[in-house]
Amino acid sequence: MHIACLLLLFRLLTMTASLSASIDSAHHQTKKRWLVVDFDGTITANDTTGLLPRVAAKLSSDNVEERVEQFEVFVEEYFRLYSAAKENMCHESMSLEQALASLDNVSDRVTAQVSESGVLSGLGVAPEDIEKLLENECELRDHTRLQPGCLEVLARQIANDWHLGVLSINWCPSLIHAAVVTPLLSRCEPQTNVNVPIWSNNVNSEGVVSLQVSGALAKRKRIAKLQQEGSFVAYVGDSSTDLLALIEADLGILIGDCQSAAATAERWDVKVLPLSQRRDAHRVDECDILWMAESWSEIDQALKAISI
């Protein structure tokens, strides 16, 4: 009798453990996966910031060269202040957050000057208006050219039940939509209900920029919010502005012309390793490791290995 009771107890414990494992497995399988990507230099082959005054002038039937010349003054001012702030970044006396905040301040200052000037007036339009402009203007369309294989990889992740979002300090969400979201949705299955949020700054018809994603700290906050909602987040970026978000993400990947960002990360003791070395999709020691990818196809392979 005593042995029979022990056997029954053992079976009950075994069944309980099996049930618990099944529940845990089901929980992981239903965990939402987010692929969040930067725009300029990450999805696009070129930085599109310099394109904005051209687009604004075209949409306003204004003189393009005058707009571009006016905008160049702000570009020069930005790089002057940025270079000075970067020279003052010291890893011995500043945290990485403090250092990147100093670069954010430069962007905020110049953005305020751009808003006051009205050089981007006419840019606050719907994505459809920019799509038509890109269709008719070969030079503008070429400047919004995407990284090789990028659209195919993004479409594949959507088909594999990843949620996709664009996180950018760009001032024109309609340009992001026209350049990325519209062609991406055309590649998805017609019955697929896809929503691709664009978290970015915004410019109105008067050319006044509303800073909703002002820089590195704001990007990290968005990634953290998705994680707090219980999601696994992979983030792909290319610049110093992306570093805090990349570190915050469950999987942070640098791509494109990212040598400067990688050097900054390493100055603050953040490891930067080739993505090809990330063999184990469930590493537990990825805190403060950034992965550097050579192509979007390499990112595709890394995301395939992840099952939540």
Side-chain angles (χ1 to χ4, degrees), residues 18-172:
S18 176
L19 179 60
S20 177
S22 298
I23 293 173
D24 287 344
S25 176
H27 169 73
H28 288 308
Q29 289 171 3
T30 58
K31 190 174 184 180
K32 186 179 290 187
R33 296 177 298 176
W34 274 97
L35 173 59
V36 183
V37 294
D38 174 51
F39 177 63
D40 288 302
T42 296
I43 295 178
T44 64
N46 305 297
D47 189 300
T48 64
T49 305
L51 189 68
L52 299 183
R54 292 182 179 275
V55 173
K58 292 278 187 181
L59 291 169
S60 306
S61 301
D62 201 358
N63 187 292
V64 173
E65 296 308 316
E66 287 183 3
R67 289 281 190 112
V68 171
E69 185 177 344
Q70 184 183 6
F71 191 74
E72 279 299 317
V73 174
F74 300 117
V75 173
E76 292 174 4
E77 175 70 358
Y78 171 79
F79 281 111
R80 183 184 70 81
L81 294 173
Y82 185 91
S83 297
K86 201 160 188 179
E87 286 180 5
N88 292 327
M89 287 168 49
C90 177
H91 68 279
E92 295 177 350
S93 60
M94 306 170 73
S95 67
L96 180 58
E97 179 178 311
Q98 291 170 329
L100 295 176
S102 69
L103 300 182
D104 288 352
N105 290 337
V106 170
S107 181
D108 292 351
R109 287 175 59 182
V110 176
T111 299
Q113 296 172 12
V114 170
S115 292
E116 188 175 351
S117 73
V119 68
L120 298 181
S121 60
L123 196 57
V125 298
E128 294 78 12
D129 297 312
I130 295 184
E131 287 170 22
K132 291 176 183 176
L133 184 63
L134 295 180
E135 287 175 6
N136 298 323
E137 298 281 346
C138 294
E139 183 181 355
L140 299 183
R141 186 169 65 250
D142 184 64
H143 204 86
T144 59
R145 179 170 43 88
L146 304 185
Q147 296 275 11
C150 176
L151 273 185
E152 291 82 358
V153 173
L154 296 180
R156 198 147 41 238
Q157 307 322 309
I158 290 174
N160 291 334
D161 295 325
W162 283 79
H163 297 260
L164 177 67
V166 181
L167 179 57
S168 172
I169 61 171
N170 193 288
W171 295 325
C172 186

Side-chain angles (χ1 to χ4, degrees), residues 199-214:
W199 301 295
S200 71
N201 300 307
N202 200 7
V203 60
N204 64 17
S205 57
E206 285 77 37
V208 177
V209 178
S210 173
L211 286 176
Q212 298 164 16
V213 184
S214 56

